[in-house]
Amino acid sequence: MAQRLVSVWQPFFLASDSPGAAVDAATELDDLGYSRIWFSGGFGENVAPRFREILDGTTRIGVASGIVSIWHSSPPEVAAFAQDAERAHPGRFLLGLGASHAVLVESGGTDYRKPYSRMVDYLDGLDAAGVSPERRILAALGPRMLDLSRDRAAGAHPYFVPAEHTAEARAAIGPDRLLAPEVAVVLDADPTTARATARQYTRGYLALPNYTNNLRRFGWTDEDFADGGSDRLVDALIPWGTIEAVAAGLEEHYRAGADEVAIQVLNGGDDTTFPAEAFRTLAKALI
């Protein structure tokens, strides 16, 4: 397994209207010692310019897309961005790709069919354009996509998964591929308010079959998915509590085989304000 890394996954970096504020936040995370910043690639036709703005505005920290949708962008467009970023900032940009979700893809008029085959074709296109497999990572949940992450990418970036999935993913991709799950956390020791904050996040994802079908494989049921998630499911997915309790929840993913955990601090549904104090506290405990 590779060196243990602590990273950040935060929608703020794409949601913020201010490139300067995003770069300032990224600079602080760089100074705090975080390894990489992950955020959504959005649903535009190309990779969002914000990725390059943050690369240009920082000196060390990695930047990764979590994810660029293979239905909303083309391999030539994505390859051009990735190769330009690699020339300007060698080794710092990691291209995260994912098959997204039927409801999001079809709302834009695209037929969501055979996502695995679509991913294979997309990777073929990136190969033809000269994008190294070592500079891309896949948002993998199920066995076939995990196998593809092992064989045709640097590894896997699962999202919205318990530590049991991290253990399964490590077994699937082997010891030499990067495994970087996203894990959302709530720094709040009150069970009622912490779980309420968590459910603002879980409710939307539990409406997406890709995630619920994945959770079913680990024994979760419709009863667990109702009303934003049972207490047991929320607790399994979202470490909450004191900094010691949250660190212990993150440690479960490292013990299960994660090389890198991309921490998302839940901010009460506010994607435009960066939770700086929370990441400072986490850095003291984890880095």
Side-chain angles (χ1 to χ4, degrees), residues 127-163:
D127 286 347
V131 176
S132 168
E134 297 306 312
R135 301 313 311 155
R136 63 202 193 205
I137 193 167
L138 306 187
L141 294 177
R144 290 210 301 167
M145 202 66 79
L146 286 168
D147 287 348
L148 202 61
S149 300
R150 177 194 63 217
D151 297 337
R152 301 198 58 188
H157 173 53
Y159 189 98
F160 199 68
V161 293

PDB file of all heavy atoms in Angstrom, residues 127-163:
ATOM      1  N   ASP A 127      -6.709   6.891 -24.115  1.00  0.00           N
ATOM      2  CA  ASP A 127      -5.481   6.207 -24.533  1.00  0.00           C
ATOM      3  C   ASP A 127      -5.013   6.732 -25.884  1.00  0.00           C
ATOM      4  O   ASP A 127      -3.820   7.010 -26.076  1.00  0.00           O
ATOM      5  CB  ASP A 127      -5.726   4.700 -24.638  1.00  0.00           C
ATOM      6  CG  ASP A 127      -5.843   4.013 -23.289  1.00  0.00           C
ATOM      7  OD1 ASP A 127      -5.486   4.635 -22.267  1.00  0.00           O
ATOM      8  OD2 ASP A 127      -6.316   2.858 -23.265  1.00  0.00           O
ATOM      9  N   ALA A 128      -5.946   6.851 -26.816  1.00  0.00           N
ATOM     10  CA  ALA A 128      -5.597   7.316 -28.163  1.00  0.00           C
ATOM     11  C   ALA A 128      -5.058   8.737 -28.143  1.00  0.00           C
ATOM     12  O   ALA A 128      -4.209   9.099 -28.956  1.00  0.00           O
ATOM     13  CB  ALA A 128      -6.820   7.220 -29.075  1.00  0.00           C
ATOM     14  N   ALA A 129      -5.543   9.536 -27.168  1.00  0.00           N
ATOM     15  CA  ALA A 129      -5.092  10.925 -27.060  1.00  0.00           C
ATOM     16  C   ALA A 129      -3.808  11.057 -26.248  1.00  0.00           C
ATOM     17  O   ALA A 129      -3.266  12.162 -26.117  1.00  0.00           O
ATOM     18  CB  ALA A 129      -6.189  11.778 -26.430  1.00  0.00           C
ATOM     19  N   GLY A 130      -3.323   9.945 -25.678  1.00  0.00           N
ATOM     20  CA  GLY A 130      -2.049   9.974 -24.967  1.00  0.00           C
ATOM     21  C   GLY A 130      -2.116  10.302 -23.500  1.00  0.00           C
ATOM     22  O   GLY A 130      -1.097  10.658 -22.889  1.00  0.00           O
ATOM     23  N   VAL A 131      -3.297  10.160 -22.866  1.00  0.00           N
ATOM     24  CA  VAL A 131      -3.407  10.401 -21.421  1.00  0.00           C
ATOM     25  C   VAL A 131      -3.013   9.126 -20.689  1.00  0.00           C
ATOM     26  O   VAL A 131      -3.626   8.073 -20.863  1.00  0.00           O
ATOM     27  CB  VAL A 131      -4.839  10.821 -21.031  1.00  0.00           C
ATOM     28  CG1 VAL A 131      -4.951  10.972 -19.511  1.00  0.00           C
ATOM     29  CG2 VAL A 131      -5.218  12.126 -21.719  1.00  0.00           C
ATOM     30  N   SER A 132      -2.005   9.202 -19.849  1.00  0.00           N
ATOM     31  CA  SER A 132      -1.503   8.029 -19.145  1.00  0.00           C
ATOM     32  C   SER A 132      -2.548   7.481 -18.176  1.00  0.00           C
ATOM     33  O   SER A 132      -3.197   8.250 -17.448  1.00  0.00           O
ATOM     34  CB  SER A 132      -0.249   8.385 -18.357  1.00  0.00           C
ATOM     35  OG  SER A 132       0.092   7.343 -17.452  1.00  0.00           O
ATOM     36  N   PRO A 133      -2.708   6.169 -18.104  1.00  0.00           N
ATOM     37  CA  PRO A 133      -3.593   5.594 -17.084  1.00  0.00           C
ATOM     38  C   PRO A 133      -3.215   6.004 -15.665  1.00  0.00           C
ATOM     39  O   PRO A 133      -4.076   6.051 -14.785  1.00  0.00           O
ATOM     40  CB  PRO A 133      -3.424   4.079 -17.292  1.00  0.00           C
ATOM     41  CG  PRO A 133      -3.051   3.933 -18.735  1.00  0.00           C
ATOM     42  CD  PRO A 133      -2.188   5.128 -19.023  1.00  0.00           C
ATOM     43  N   GLU A 134      -1.948   6.307 -15.431  1.00  0.00           N
ATOM     44  CA  GLU A 134      -1.510   6.684 -14.091  1.00  0.00           C
ATOM     45  C   GLU A 134      -1.954   8.082 -13.696  1.00  0.00           C
ATOM     46  O   GLU A 134      -1.801   8.476 -12.537  1.00  0.00           O
ATOM     47  CB  GLU A 134       0.008   6.569 -13.987  1.00  0.00           C
ATOM     48  CG  GLU A 134       0.522   5.155 -14.189  1.00  0.00           C
ATOM     49  CD  GLU A 134      -0.135   4.144 -13.254  1.00  0.00           C
ATOM     50  OE1 GLU A 134      -0.199   4.423 -12.036  1.00  0.00           O
ATOM     51  OE2 GLU A 134      -0.598   3.091 -13.736  1.00  0.00           O
ATOM     52  N   ARG A 135      -2.491   8.838 -14.647  1.00  0.00           N
ATOM     53  CA  ARG A 135      -2.969  10.187 -14.342  1.00  0.00           C
ATOM     54  C   ARG A 135      -4.490  10.250 -14.337  1.00  0.00           C
ATOM     55  O   ARG A 135      -5.070  11.327 -14.443  1.00  0.00           O
ATOM     56  CB  ARG A 135      -2.411  11.214 -15.346  1.00  0.00           C
ATOM     57  CG  ARG A 135      -0.907  11.321 -15.435  1.00  0.00           C
ATOM     58  CD  ARG A 135      -0.204  11.411 -14.109  1.00  0.00           C
ATOM     59  NE  ARG A 135      -0.762  12.395 -13.191  1.00  0.00           N
ATOM     60  CZ  ARG A 135      -0.651  12.336 -11.872  1.00  0.00           C
ATOM     61  NH1 ARG A 135      -0.024  11.327 -11.302  1.00  0.00           N
ATOM     62  NH2 ARG A 135      -1.187  13.279 -11.110  1.00  0.00           N
ATOM     63  N   ARG A 136      -5.152   9.094 -14.193  1.00  0.00           N
ATOM     64  CA  ARG A 136      -6.618   9.079 -14.121  1.00  0.00           C
ATOM     65  C   ARG A 136      -7.057   8.055 -13.082  1.00  0.00           C
ATOM     66  O   ARG A 136      -6.347   7.094 -12.792  1.00  0.00           O
ATOM     67  CB  ARG A 136      -7.230   8.783 -15.487  1.00  0.00           C
ATOM     68  CG  ARG A 136      -6.875   7.414 -16.050  1.00  0.00           C
ATOM     69  CD  ARG A 136      -7.042   7.374 -17.553  1.00  0.00           C
ATOM     70  NE  ARG A 136      -6.995   6.005 -18.068  1.00  0.00           N
ATOM     71  CZ  ARG A 136      -6.649   5.685 -19.312  1.00  0.00           C
ATOM     72  NH1 ARG A 136      -6.355   6.642 -20.196  1.00  0.00           N
ATOM     73  NH2 ARG A 136      -6.645   4.427 -19.708  1.00  0.00           N
ATOM     74  N   ILE A 137      -8.245   8.283 -12.521  1.00  0.00           N
ATOM     75  CA  ILE A 137      -8.795   7.422 -11.480  1.00  0.00           C
ATOM     76  C   ILE A 137     -10.298   7.344 -11.696  1.00  0.00           C
ATOM     77  O   ILE A 137     -10.907   8.297 -12.216  1.00  0.00           O
ATOM     78  CB  ILE A 137      -8.427   7.985 -10.087  1.00  0.00           C
ATOM     79  CG1 ILE A 137      -8.708   6.968  -8.974  1.00  0.00           C
ATOM     80  CG2 ILE A 137      -9.103   9.321  -9.816  1.00  0.00           C
ATOM     81  CD1 ILE A 137      -8.074   7.343  -7.634  1.00  0.00           C
ATOM     82  N   LEU A 138     -10.903   6.212 -11.339  1.00  0.00           N
ATOM     83  CA  LEU A 138     -12.310   5.993 -11.661  1.00  0.00           C
ATOM     84  C   LEU A 138     -13.166   5.973 -10.398  1.00  0.00           C
ATOM     85  O   LEU A 138     -12.783   5.406  -9.373  1.00  0.00           O
ATOM     86  CB  LEU A 138     -12.489   4.670 -12.405  1.00  0.00           C
ATOM     87  CG  LEU A 138     -11.643   4.463 -13.662  1.00  0.00           C
ATOM     88  CD1 LEU A 138     -12.080   3.184 -14.365  1.00  0.00           C
ATOM     89  CD2 LEU A 138     -11.722   5.660 -14.593  1.00  0.00           C
ATOM     90  N   ALA A 139     -14.354   6.555 -10.519  1.00  0.00           N
ATOM     91  CA  ALA A 139     -15.339   6.528  -9.437  1.00  0.00           C
ATOM     92  C   ALA A 139     -16.019   5.167  -9.457  1.00  0.00           C
ATOM     93  O   ALA A 139     -17.057   4.984 -10.078  1.00  0.00           O
ATOM     94  CB  ALA A 139     -16.360   7.640  -9.622  1.00  0.00           C
ATOM     95  N   ALA A 140     -15.419   4.205  -8.776  1.00  0.00           N
ATOM     96  CA  ALA A 140     -15.842   2.812  -8.876  1.00  0.00           C
ATOM     97  C   ALA A 140     -16.566   2.365  -7.612  1.00  0.00           C
ATOM     98  O   ALA A 140     -16.093   2.601  -6.502  1.00  0.00           O
ATOM     99  CB  ALA A 140     -14.627   1.917  -9.110  1.00  0.00           C
ATOM    100  N   LEU A 141     -17.713   1.693  -7.820  1.00  0.00           N
ATOM    101  CA  LEU A 141     -18.463   1.097  -6.721  1.00  0.00           C
ATOM    102  C   LEU A 141     -18.535  -0.420  -6.869  1.00  0.00           C
ATOM    103  O   LEU A 141     -18.120  -1.157  -5.991  1.00  0.00           O
ATOM    104  CB  LEU A 141     -19.869   1.690  -6.647  1.00  0.00           C
ATOM    105  CG  LEU A 141     -19.973   3.170  -6.279  1.00  0.00           C
ATOM    106  CD1 LEU A 141     -21.426   3.628  -6.329  1.00  0.00           C
ATOM    107  CD2 LEU A 141     -19.395   3.445  -4.901  1.00  0.00           C
ATOM    108  N   GLY A 142     -19.083  -0.898  -7.993  1.00  0.00           N
ATOM    109  CA  GLY A 142     -19.291  -2.322  -8.197  1.00  0.00           C
ATOM    110  C   GLY A 142     -18.064  -3.049  -8.701  1.00  0.00           C
ATOM    111  O   GLY A 142     -17.057  -2.441  -9.089  1.00  0.00           O
ATOM    112  N   PRO A 143     -18.144  -4.380  -8.726  1.00  0.00           N
ATOM    113  CA  PRO A 143     -16.971  -5.199  -9.065  1.00  0.00           C
ATOM    114  C   PRO A 143     -16.390  -4.913 -10.445  1.00  0.00           C
ATOM    115  O   PRO A 143     -15.153  -4.866 -10.588  1.00  0.00           O
ATOM    116  CB  PRO A 143     -17.519  -6.631  -8.980  1.00  0.00           C
ATOM    117  CG  PRO A 143     -18.643  -6.545  -8.007  1.00  0.00           C
ATOM    118  CD  PRO A 143     -19.268  -5.201  -8.235  1.00  0.00           C
ATOM    119  N   ARG A 144     -17.221  -4.729 -11.471  1.00  0.00           N
ATOM    120  CA  ARG A 144     -16.666  -4.537 -12.818  1.00  0.00           C
ATOM    121  C   ARG A 144     -15.916  -3.211 -12.925  1.00  0.00           C
ATOM    122  O   ARG A 144     -14.846  -3.138 -13.546  1.00  0.00           O
ATOM    123  CB  ARG A 144     -17.773  -4.611 -13.864  1.00  0.00           C
ATOM    124  CG  ARG A 144     -18.342  -5.999 -14.048  1.00  0.00           C
ATOM    125  CD  ARG A 144     -18.836  -6.220 -15.470  1.00  0.00           C
ATOM    126  NE  ARG A 144     -19.875  -5.264 -15.834  1.00  0.00           N
ATOM    127  CZ  ARG A 144     -20.295  -5.067 -17.090  1.00  0.00           C
ATOM    128  NH1 ARG A 144     -19.758  -5.729 -18.086  1.00  0.00           N
ATOM    129  NH2 ARG A 144     -21.263  -4.206 -17.349  1.00  0.00           N
ATOM    130  N   MET A 145     -16.474  -2.158 -12.330  1.00  0.00           N
ATOM    131  CA  MET A 145     -15.788  -0.872 -12.404  1.00  0.00           C
ATOM    132  C   MET A 145     -14.526  -0.878 -11.544  1.00  0.00           C
ATOM    133  O   MET A 145     -13.519  -0.236 -11.897  1.00  0.00           O
ATOM    134  CB  MET A 145     -16.726   0.254 -11.991  1.00  0.00           C
ATOM    135  CG  MET A 145     -16.305   1.611 -12.513  1.00  0.00           C
ATOM    136  SD  MET A 145     -16.376   1.773 -14.323  1.00  0.00           S
ATOM    137  CE  MET A 145     -18.137   2.040 -14.563  1.00  0.00           C
ATOM    138  N   LEU A 146     -14.543  -1.600 -10.444  1.00  0.00           N
ATOM    139  CA  LEU A 146     -13.315  -1.738  -9.650  1.00  0.00           C
ATOM    140  C   LEU A 146     -12.235  -2.468 -10.441  1.00  0.00           C
ATOM    141  O   LEU A 146     -11.059  -2.084 -10.408  1.00  0.00           O
ATOM    142  CB  LEU A 146     -13.616  -2.474  -8.340  1.00  0.00           C
ATOM    143  CG  LEU A 146     -14.362  -1.659  -7.280  1.00  0.00           C
ATOM    144  CD1 LEU A 146     -14.863  -2.570  -6.171  1.00  0.00           C
ATOM    145  CD2 LEU A 146     -13.472  -0.555  -6.705  1.00  0.00           C
ATOM    146  N   ASP A 147     -12.619  -3.506 -11.165  1.00  0.00           N
ATOM    147  CA  ASP A 147     -11.644  -4.201 -12.008  1.00  0.00           C
ATOM    148  C   ASP A 147     -11.071  -3.261 -13.064  1.00  0.00           C
ATOM    149  O   ASP A 147      -9.865  -3.294 -13.359  1.00  0.00           O
ATOM    150  CB  ASP A 147     -12.288  -5.408 -12.681  1.00  0.00           C
ATOM    151  CG  ASP A 147     -12.547  -6.564 -11.722  1.00  0.00           C
ATOM    152  OD1 ASP A 147     -12.029  -6.518 -10.587  1.00  0.00           O
ATOM    153  OD2 ASP A 147     -13.278  -7.502 -12.102  1.00  0.00           O
ATOM    154  N   LEU A 148     -11.924  -2.417 -13.630  1.00  0.00           N
ATOM    155  CA  LEU A 148     -11.463  -1.457 -14.640  1.00  0.00           C
ATOM    156  C   LEU A 148     -10.508  -0.444 -14.004  1.00  0.00           C
ATOM    157  O   LEU A 148      -9.520  -0.025 -14.629  1.00  0.00           O
ATOM    158  CB  LEU A 148     -12.678  -0.766 -15.262  1.00  0.00           C
ATOM    159  CG  LEU A 148     -12.510  -0.145 -16.643  1.00  0.00           C
ATOM    160  CD1 LEU A 148     -12.143  -1.189 -17.685  1.00  0.00           C
ATOM    161  CD2 LEU A 148     -13.804   0.577 -17.051  1.00  0.00           C
ATOM    162  N   SER A 149     -10.792  -0.050 -12.773  1.00  0.00           N
ATOM    163  CA  SER A 149      -9.898   0.871 -12.059  1.00  0.00           C
ATOM    164  C   SER A 149      -8.514   0.268 -11.876  1.00  0.00           C
ATOM    165  O   SER A 149      -7.502   0.970 -11.939  1.00  0.00           O
ATOM    166  CB  SER A 149     -10.481   1.191 -10.679  1.00  0.00           C
ATOM    167  OG  SER A 149     -11.742   1.790 -10.776  1.00  0.00           O
ATOM    168  N   ARG A 150      -8.488  -1.023 -11.623  1.00  0.00           N
ATOM    169  CA  ARG A 150      -7.204  -1.726 -11.452  1.00  0.00           C
ATOM    170  C   ARG A 150      -6.445  -1.836 -12.772  1.00  0.00           C
ATOM    171  O   ARG A 150      -5.229  -1.612 -12.823  1.00  0.00           O
ATOM    172  CB  ARG A 150      -7.484  -3.131 -10.913  1.00  0.00           C
ATOM    173  CG  ARG A 150      -6.253  -4.011 -10.759  1.00  0.00           C
ATOM    174  CD  ARG A 150      -6.661  -5.458 -10.546  1.00  0.00           C
ATOM    175  NE  ARG A 150      -7.379  -5.980 -11.719  1.00  0.00           N
ATOM    176  CZ  ARG A 150      -8.412  -6.831 -11.650  1.00  0.00           C
ATOM    177  NH1 ARG A 150      -8.851  -7.258 -10.481  1.00  0.00           N
ATOM    178  NH2 ARG A 150      -8.983  -7.249 -12.763  1.00  0.00           N
ATOM    179  N   ASP A 151      -7.168  -2.156 -13.842  1.00  0.00           N
ATOM    180  CA  ASP A 151      -6.513  -2.505 -15.098  1.00  0.00           C
ATOM    181  C   ASP A 151      -6.228  -1.312 -16.002  1.00  0.00           C
ATOM    182  O   ASP A 151      -5.294  -1.374 -16.814  1.00  0.00           O
ATOM    183  CB  ASP A 151      -7.379  -3.506 -15.870  1.00  0.00           C
ATOM    184  CG  ASP A 151      -7.554  -4.818 -15.126  1.00  0.00           C
ATOM    185  OD1 ASP A 151      -6.696  -5.130 -14.274  1.00  0.00           O
ATOM    186  OD2 ASP A 151      -8.550  -5.519 -15.384  1.00  0.00           O
ATOM    187  N   ARG A 152      -7.007  -0.222 -15.846  1.00  0.00           N
ATOM    188  CA  ARG A 152      -6.878   0.854 -16.829  1.00  0.00           C
ATOM    189  C   ARG A 152      -6.800   2.248 -16.202  1.00  0.00           C
ATOM    190  O   ARG A 152      -7.008   3.251 -16.889  1.00  0.00           O
ATOM    191  CB  ARG A 152      -8.035   0.785 -17.825  1.00  0.00           C
ATOM    192  CG  ARG A 152      -8.087  -0.562 -18.566  1.00  0.00           C
ATOM    193  CD  ARG A 152      -8.904  -0.489 -19.815  1.00  0.00           C
ATOM    194  NE  ARG A 152      -8.403   0.509 -20.747  1.00  0.00           N
ATOM    195  CZ  ARG A 152      -9.042   0.870 -21.860  1.00  0.00           C
ATOM    196  NH1 ARG A 152     -10.191   0.292 -22.180  1.00  0.00           N
ATOM    197  NH2 ARG A 152      -8.536   1.792 -22.666  1.00  0.00           N
ATOM    198  N   ALA A 153      -6.501   2.306 -14.929  1.00  0.00           N
ATOM    199  CA  ALA A 153      -6.392   3.596 -14.250  1.00  0.00           C
ATOM    200  C   ALA A 153      -5.422   3.462 -13.087  1.00  0.00           C
ATOM    201  O   ALA A 153      -4.929   2.377 -12.777  1.00  0.00           O
ATOM    202  CB  ALA A 153      -7.766   4.059 -13.761  1.00  0.00           C
ATOM    203  N   ALA A 154      -5.165   4.582 -12.431  1.00  0.00           N
ATOM    204  CA  ALA A 154      -4.284   4.571 -11.263  1.00  0.00           C
ATOM    205  C   ALA A 154      -4.949   3.916 -10.068  1.00  0.00           C
ATOM    206  O   ALA A 154      -4.267   3.526  -9.116  1.00  0.00           O
ATOM    207  CB  ALA A 154      -3.879   5.998 -10.908  1.00  0.00           C
ATOM    208  N   GLY A 155      -6.277   3.799 -10.106  1.00  0.00           N
ATOM    209  CA  GLY A 155      -6.983   3.207  -8.989  1.00  0.00           C
ATOM    210  C   GLY A 155      -8.422   3.671  -8.954  1.00  0.00           C
ATOM    211  O   GLY A 155      -9.008   4.030  -9.973  1.00  0.00           O
ATOM    212  N   ALA A 156      -8.995   3.679  -7.732  1.00  0.00           N
ATOM    213  CA  ALA A 156     -10.426   3.915  -7.556  1.00  0.00           C
ATOM    214  C   ALA A 156     -10.684   5.034  -6.555  1.00  0.00           C
ATOM    215  O   ALA A 156      -9.980   5.175  -5.549  1.00  0.00           O
ATOM    216  CB  ALA A 156     -11.116   2.637  -7.081  1.00  0.00           C
ATOM    217  N   HIS A 157     -11.742   5.795  -6.841  1.00  0.00           N
ATOM    218  CA  HIS A 157     -12.208   6.880  -5.964  1.00  0.00           C
ATOM    219  C   HIS A 157     -13.690   6.640  -5.644  1.00  0.00           C
ATOM    220  O   HIS A 157     -14.565   7.249  -6.247  1.00  0.00           O
ATOM    221  CB  HIS A 157     -11.996   8.227  -6.664  1.00  0.00           C
ATOM    222  CG  HIS A 157     -12.587   9.400  -5.935  1.00  0.00           C
ATOM    223  ND1 HIS A 157     -12.318   9.666  -4.617  1.00  0.00           N
ATOM    224  CD2 HIS A 157     -13.445  10.375  -6.353  1.00  0.00           C
ATOM    225  CE1 HIS A 157     -12.962  10.766  -4.252  1.00  0.00           C
ATOM    226  NE2 HIS A 157     -13.671  11.208  -5.281  1.00  0.00           N
ATOM    227  N   PRO A 158     -13.979   5.714  -4.710  1.00  0.00           N
ATOM    228  CA  PRO A 158     -15.376   5.481  -4.338  1.00  0.00           C
ATOM    229  C   PRO A 158     -15.939   6.661  -3.546  1.00  0.00           C
ATOM    230  O   PRO A 158     -15.214   7.353  -2.815  1.00  0.00           O
ATOM    231  CB  PRO A 158     -15.305   4.225  -3.460  1.00  0.00           C
ATOM    232  CG  PRO A 158     -13.948   3.639  -3.717  1.00  0.00           C
ATOM    233  CD  PRO A 158     -13.065   4.797  -4.031  1.00  0.00           C
ATOM    234  N   TYR A 159     -17.236   6.849  -3.681  1.00  0.00           N
ATOM    235  CA  TYR A 159     -17.926   7.962  -3.018  1.00  0.00           C
ATOM    236  C   TYR A 159     -19.139   7.402  -2.285  1.00  0.00           C
ATOM    237  O   TYR A 159     -19.840   6.528  -2.798  1.00  0.00           O
ATOM    238  CB  TYR A 159     -18.370   8.983  -4.077  1.00  0.00           C
ATOM    239  CG  TYR A 159     -18.903  10.300  -3.548  1.00  0.00           C
ATOM    240  CD1 TYR A 159     -18.083  11.416  -3.474  1.00  0.00           C
ATOM    241  CD2 TYR A 159     -20.230  10.425  -3.143  1.00  0.00           C
ATOM    242  CE1 TYR A 159     -18.566  12.632  -3.007  1.00  0.00           C
ATOM    243  CE2 TYR A 159     -20.718  11.630  -2.671  1.00  0.00           C
ATOM    244  CZ  TYR A 159     -19.883  12.733  -2.595  1.00  0.00           C
ATOM    245  OH  TYR A 159     -20.369  13.935  -2.117  1.00  0.00           O
ATOM    246  N   PHE A 160     -19.378   7.903  -1.049  1.00  0.00           N
ATOM    247  CA  PHE A 160     -20.566   7.542  -0.278  1.00  0.00           C
ATOM    248  C   PHE A 160     -20.555   6.061   0.053  1.00  0.00           C
ATOM    249  O   PHE A 160     -21.474   5.319  -0.251  1.00  0.00           O
ATOM    250  CB  PHE A 160     -21.827   7.921  -1.073  1.00  0.00           C
ATOM    251  CG  PHE A 160     -23.094   8.026  -0.253  1.00  0.00           C
ATOM    252  CD1 PHE A 160     -23.235   9.031   0.681  1.00  0.00           C
ATOM    253  CD2 PHE A 160     -24.132   7.134  -0.428  1.00  0.00           C
ATOM    254  CE1 PHE A 160     -24.413   9.147   1.429  1.00  0.00           C
ATOM    255  CE2 PHE A 160     -25.304   7.229   0.313  1.00  0.00           C
ATOM    256  CZ  PHE A 160     -25.444   8.233   1.242  1.00  0.00           C
ATOM    257  N   VAL A 161     -19.480   5.635   0.694  1.00  0.00           N
ATOM    258  CA  VAL A 161     -19.317   4.204   0.994  1.00  0.00           C
ATOM    259  C   VAL A 161     -18.901   4.013   2.454  1.00  0.00           C
ATOM    260  O   VAL A 161     -18.191   4.836   3.026  1.00  0.00           O
ATOM    261  CB  VAL A 161     -18.258   3.548   0.081  1.00  0.00           C
ATOM    262  CG1 VAL A 161     -18.729   3.518  -1.356  1.00  0.00           C
ATOM    263  CG2 VAL A 161     -16.900   4.243   0.196  1.00  0.00           C
ATOM    264  N   PRO A 162     -19.318   2.895   3.054  1.00  0.00           N
ATOM    265  CA  PRO A 162     -18.826   2.536   4.386  1.00  0.00           C
ATOM    266  C   PRO A 162     -17.445   1.884   4.283  1.00  0.00           C
ATOM    267  O   PRO A 162     -16.984   1.531   3.194  1.00  0.00           O
ATOM    268  CB  PRO A 162     -19.879   1.532   4.883  1.00  0.00           C
ATOM    269  CG  PRO A 162     -20.353   0.868   3.623  1.00  0.00           C
ATOM    270  CD  PRO A 162     -20.311   1.927   2.553  1.00  0.00           C
ATOM    271  N   ALA A 163     -16.824   1.685   5.438  1.00  0.00           N
ATOM    272  CA  ALA A 163     -15.484   1.090   5.447  1.00  0.00           C
ATOM    273  C   ALA A 163     -15.484  -0.323   4.881  1.00  0.00           C
ATOM    274  O   ALA A 163     -14.469  -0.769   4.335  1.00  0.00           O
ATOM    275  CB  ALA A 163     -14.935   1.098   6.872  1.00  0.00           C
TER     276      ALA A 163
END
